[in-house]
Amino acid sequence: MQKRWFIKQRPTSETIRDLVNDLKVSPIMASLLIQRNLTSLPQIRSFFTPELSSLHDPFLMLNMQAAVERLDLAVREGQRILIFGDYDVDGTTSVALVYSVLKDLAPIDFYIPDRYEEGYGLSYKGIDYALDNDCSLLIALDCGIKEVDKVRYAKEKGLDIIICDHHTPGPEIPDCIVLDPKQEACTYPFKELCGCGVGFKLLQAWYAKTGRNEKELFDYLDLTAIAIGADIVPVTGENRVLCKHGIQRMNENPRIGVAALVEQAQRSFPLDLSNVVFTIAPRINAAGRLKSGSRAVELLLAETKQEAKKIAAEIDEYNSERRMLDAQTTEEALELIAQDELFSSRKSTVVFQSDWHKGVVGIVASRLIEHHYRPTIVLTENKGEATGSARSVQGFNVYDAITACGHLLTQFGGHQHAAGLSLPLENVVPFREHFDAYVQKHIRPLDELDELVIDLEIAPSDLFLAGESAFQIPRLYRMLEQMEPFGPGNDKPVFCVRNVYADKQRILKGAHVKFDLVDPASGIRLSAIGFSMADKADLIASGCAFDCAFTLETNTWNDQTTLQIQVRDIRETL
């Protein structure tokens, strides 16, 4: 699929020179910092070494005082508390966090809804479970902001609820204590917390009120970091602080369940946020997709290696099954698209098949965007309704598009990048037409092409300082490592080089390509790998000059670590 390259404007030579002189860094590093609006020493220091002391006062969040008082009442009086969370990574890590902190202080239980029987969000079955078990308080994590009727039902039954959510609220807020920085009346300084982040702020406020040592709470930041990575929220502001320290905690003292999962995946510590996103998160998610999210919580709460190893093996099996279903469903969806004579005239993708597994429709929507770059919804049938997931392209708010079709839906929720929805089966066709009409009207031409943002155009020789060779790990790479964690809002720097050639090219298992990138101007030769880029093999092997966009990585083989570039795109030099 063709990508549109957008190369950021290079800072002025004078600005670069000033920062090079002040920090004693390379011009490339200075340019990257300036592009991120990091130009003063305090800003740069805060970026590279974010301090936990810089976290915002949790009482700035709307309704925090009431939430803390209700939680504290429950703990002081020994009231039974139910911790309710969504079945995805953000929800299960949230439950593990709050349960871990409160388990020795109050009678407590947790509940993860069944994806198929109860669906997304706070459920009547979960509320009834709380009532049947004499709970006085339910804390809903990563869900609840649109559950007006269910909260009303709980209130009528005498059950108090604290909602800790981060999704976009609907027109009516549930009648209970609601913590959600996206509420219109909430003036909390950082709006992009994940659900686990909101749960952490509740505990942070409660620790402050009750005089507990806040440092004890920081031992659970690994859970918050996993949630931040998995939920694809911006890794900026408060999220950067939480994530940086959470990853550090994970590497220095990994919890038993995470260590078991990493071992099962045949990976090793230290991990970065990318490892979390592609190794840990899919496996935790697989439990909720194919079996029960409760197993993921049990893994994260495991206290013995034996227990953790058993659950990790089980969850890894779920993940293998999930990958098989993912590939099969993607293939079937692409076949439906190929048979659709009207597809080329649309600007969105909406596909439906009644027997698809509900647990993989969100992943499949993302896969389809890799083939057809447009807002995408994948639907299947569950309990007599069409239900599914939406994924968007950069720059287009899919939540707004679904909201515009709300009259055809029974339930929906989410944010600008992703959403879930349910609708009557007879509304699938009219929904497809209404959704596409909204996309046709509102999507910008620039948003219809997959954009690859490139930080800097360089020469391969720019990667190395005087005296460094291509066989060494350059100082620049070590500096780039300090910019971790990478994610939305702080993407890993992408570079491009022009007029280079390939040598020793070969296709690896899984449609990956590996070759040596050769710069004829300097003679520099760099090891390169492109994942799922077999479609570029002919260009690479043609002997023609090409332009290459890439990120810097390292590769360890036989105990030897070398520099490697990970190819993001290749196009023929004009």
Side-chain angles (χ1 to χ4, degrees), residues 115-157:
R115 189 182 198 113
Y116 305 98
E117 292 300 316
E118 299 164 75
Y120 167 79
L122 186 60
S123 66
Y124 288 111
K125 188 174 179 180
I127 292 169
D128 287 341
Y129 179 89
L131 294 167
D132 291 343
N133 287 274
D134 299 320
C135 293
S136 300
L137 175 64
L138 183 152
I139 301 176
L141 298 156
D142 190 37
C143 62
I145 190 61
K146 298 181 75 174
E147 306 290 4
V148 175
D149 291 340
K150 290 167 187 172
V151 168
R152 184 181 299 118
Y153 170 79
K155 189 172 183 178
E156 290 171 353
K157 299 285 187 177

Side-chain angles (χ1 to χ4, degrees), residues 221-326:
L221 285 180
D222 59 323
L223 296 170
T224 312
I226 292 171
I228 288 169
D231 228 50
I232 321 178
V233 291
V235 190
T236 57
E238 199 163 37
N239 280 343
R240 179 170 174 81
V241 181
L242 296 169
C243 193
K244 182 102 173 178
H245 286 272
I247 295 289
Q248 182 179 334
R249 192 267 180 207
M250 185 188 305
N251 287 323
E252 291 176 352
N253 185 24
R255 70 180 54 246
I256 293 172
V258 171
L261 207 56
V262 170
E263 181 181 359
Q264 187 69 42
Q266 299 182 326
R267 298 290 188 269
S268 60
F269 294 97
L271 304 177
D272 58 23
L273 192 60
S274 177
N275 301 138
V276 169
V277 171
F278 293 107
T279 299
I280 295 178
R283 286 168 170 79
I284 293 177
N285 254 334
R289 291 183 189 281
L290 300 187
K291 189 69 174 179
S292 169
S294 295
R295 292 302 276 164
V297 177
E298 290 163 7
L299 175 67
L300 296 172
L301 296 176
E303 296 182 350
T304 68
K305 290 183 179 179
Q306 183 179 6
E307 178 190 14
K309 189 171 183 178
K310 179 186 177 198
I311 301 174
E314 182 183 318
I315 285 178
D316 200 57
E317 283 294 320
Y318 299 151
N319 190 52
S320 297
E321 184 181 350
R322 186 272 306 167
R323 292 171 68 179
M324 181 187 69
L325 287 167
D326 164 12

Side-chain angles (χ1 to χ4, degrees), residues 175-193:
D175 184 17
C176 64
I177 300 171
V178 176
L179 301 177
D180 186 335
K182 289 191 174 76
Q183 290 183 87
E184 191 173 328
C186 184
T187 58
Y188 191 74
F190 188 70
K191 300 291 186 182
E192 300 299 333
L193 292 168

Side-chain angles (χ1 to χ4, degrees), residues 8 24-36 38 44 47-50 235 240 244 272-274 455-456 458 460 462-465 468 472-487 490-496 526 550-554 563-566:
K8 293 181 183 178
K24 303 298 185 285
V25 295
S26 70
I28 288 182
M29 196 68 211
S31 298
L32 294 173
L33 293 173
I34 295 164
Q35 287 175 336
R36 284 161 169 73
L38 301 171
I44 293 168
F47 177 77
F48 281 111
T49 55
V235 190
R240 179 170 174 81
K244 182 102 173 178
D272 58 23
L273 192 60
S274 177
D455 293 86
L456 289 170
I458 62 171
D462 293 336
L463 297 173
F464 304 94
L465 297 175
E468 293 181 331
Q472 296 175 294
I473 305 298
R475 182 167 177 257
L476 172 64
Y477 179 80
R478 301 301 184 197
M479 288 292 294
L480 293 177
E481 281 186 308
Q482 299 305 308
M483 296 176 71
E484 289 269 12
F486 294 119
N490 182 44
D491 292 309
K492 177 173 282 193
V494 178
F495 305 103
C496 75
L526 297 169
F550 61 91
T551 57
L552 289 180
E553 317 281 342
T554 57
L563 185 70
Q564 176 175 268
I565 66 172
Q566 183 173 322

Side-chain angles (χ1 to χ4, degrees), residues 371 506-515 529-538 540 567:
H371 293 268
R506 57 196 185 277
I507 297 180
L508 307 179
K509 181 181 178 181
H512 311 315
V513 293
K514 192 166 179 60
F515 60 94
I529 188 165
F531 294 108
S532 301
M533 296 187 73
D535 59 315
K536 302 288 186 181
D538 289 344
I540 293 169
V567 179

Side-chain angles (χ1 to χ4, degrees), residues 142-435:
D142 190 37
C143 62
I145 190 61
K146 298 181 75 174
E147 306 290 4
V148 175
D149 291 340
K150 290 167 187 172
V151 168
R152 184 181 299 118
Y153 170 79
K155 189 172 183 178
E156 290 171 353
K157 299 285 187 177
L159 178 65
D160 290 339
I161 293 180
I162 298 173
I163 287 173
C164 297
D165 205 349
H166 70 117
H167 295 99
T168 306
E172 184 180 355
I173 301 296
D175 184 17
C176 64
I177 300 171
V178 176
L179 301 177
D180 186 335
K182 289 191 174 76
Q183 290 183 87
E184 191 173 328
C186 184
T187 58
Y188 191 74
F190 188 70
K191 300 291 186 182
E192 300 299 333
L193 292 168
C194 61
C196 191
V198 178
F200 174 83
K201 298 307 290 190
L202 170 61
L203 295 174
Q204 185 188 19
W206 182 65
Y207 264 54
K209 173 181 170 53
T210 55
R212 286 176 165 80
N213 184 356
E214 191 180 51
K215 291 182 180 179
E216 295 174 2
L217 190 57
F218 297 155
D219 287 341
Y220 302 100
L221 285 180
D222 59 323
L223 296 170
T224 312
I226 292 171
I228 288 169
D231 228 50
I232 321 178
V233 291
V235 190
T236 57
E238 199 163 37
N239 280 343
R240 179 170 174 81
V241 181
L242 296 169
C243 193
K244 182 102 173 178
H245 286 272
I247 295 289
Q248 182 179 334
R249 192 267 180 207
M250 185 188 305
N251 287 323
E252 291 176 352
N253 185 24
R255 70 180 54 246
I256 293 172
V258 171
L261 207 56
V262 170
E263 181 181 359
Q264 187 69 42
Q266 299 182 326
R267 298 290 188 269
S268 60
F269 294 97
L271 304 177
D272 58 23
L273 192 60
S274 177
N275 301 138
V276 169
V277 171
F278 293 107
T279 299
I280 295 178
R283 286 168 170 79
I284 293 177
N285 254 334
R289 291 183 189 281
L290 300 187
K291 189 69 174 179
S292 169
S294 295
R295 292 302 276 164
V297 177
E298 290 163 7
L299 175 67
L300 296 172
L301 296 176
E303 296 182 350
T304 68
K305 290 183 179 179
Q306 183 179 6
E307 178 190 14
K309 189 171 183 178
K310 179 186 177 198
I311 301 174
E314 182 183 318
I315 285 178
D316 200 57
E317 283 294 320
Y318 299 151
N319 190 52
S320 297
E321 184 181 350
R322 186 272 306 167
R323 292 171 68 179
M324 181 187 69
L325 287 167
D326 164 12
Q328 177 183 328
T329 307
T330 300
E331 185 178 342
E332 291 174 1
L334 287 170
E335 182 61 30
L336 285 180
I337 290 170
Q339 295 171 3
D340 183 357
E341 296 178 354
L342 297 177
F343 184 76
S344 61
S345 64
R346 296 195 179 104
K347 295 194 174 185
S348 66
T349 301
V350 179
V351 287
F352 167 78
Q353 190 159 298
S354 62
D355 61 349
W356 284 338
H357 198 290
K358 185 182 176 186
V360 299
V361 291
I363 304 170
V364 172
S366 297
R367 297 273 187 264
L368 295 183
I369 288 177
E370 294 172 5
H371 293 268
H372 303 283
Y373 192 74
R374 51 179 69 181
T376 298
I377 296 176
V378 178
L379 299 167
T380 185
E381 184 177 346
N382 184 59
K383 299 178 71 174
E385 272 196 323
T387 185
S389 293
R391 297 292 183 269
S392 195
V393 297
Q394 191 65 34
F396 183 79
N397 191 319
V398 74
Y399 181 81
D400 286 349
I402 291 172
T403 301
C405 306
H407 62 288
L408 296 169
L409 308 176
T410 53
Q411 186 179 14
F412 67 97
H415 47 77
Q416 64 178 358
H417 303 299
L421 65 160
S422 299
L423 62 158
L425 291 170
E426 62 269 21
N427 285 0
V428 169
V429 173
F431 171 78
R432 178 187 287 126
E433 302 308 318
H434 277 77
F435 181 77

